[in-house]
Amino acid sequence: LVDAYGGTPHGDLRVFPGAETLAAVGAGAIRDALGLTSARARTVWTLACAAARDGAPDHTWTAADARAWLTALPGIGPWTAEYVDLRAVCDLD
């Protein structure tokens, strides 16, 4: 995604593209850039659209709120929501 949608350069590094950028390109472009199935690309795109609208879960969210928000999105199940809790919300339980 960084190669395809060029995150902002910071020295020798490039930042991952923001949710707004991914929401704007659409599921088809994400599918083509990553070689994903259409269903997986729609999930990535749907997540980007929701994050652009609501903000993405982070350490300020409760684990329960993050899980509820994520699992309400098509294509995101409990395992993925728990993994996001671990990495983004810092829920170690």
Side-chain angles (χ1 to χ4, degrees):
L1 286 176
V2 171
D3 285 341
Y5 302 109
T8 306
H10 286 281
D12 293 339
L13 302 175
R14 287 183 296 156
V15 174
F16 195 82
E20 295 82 8
T21 298
L22 295 177
V25 301
I30 292 169
R31 179 198 63 224
D32 295 344
L34 298 177
L36 295 176
T37 64
S38 292
R40 287 184 177 153
R42 268 192 313 277
T43 298
V44 172
W45 178 72
T46 299
L47 176 61
C49 290
R53 181 191 65 233
D54 302 331
D58 63 19
H59 69 281
T60 65
W61 290 47
T62 68
D65 287 344
R67 281 192 303 272
W69 183 82
L70 287 162
T71 56
L73 300 174
I76 298 181
W79 186 92
T80 302
E82 293 286 339
Y83 193 78
V84 171
D85 277 348
L86 173 67
R87 297 296 183 191
V89 181
C90 301
D91 180 24
L92 301 178
D93 185 13

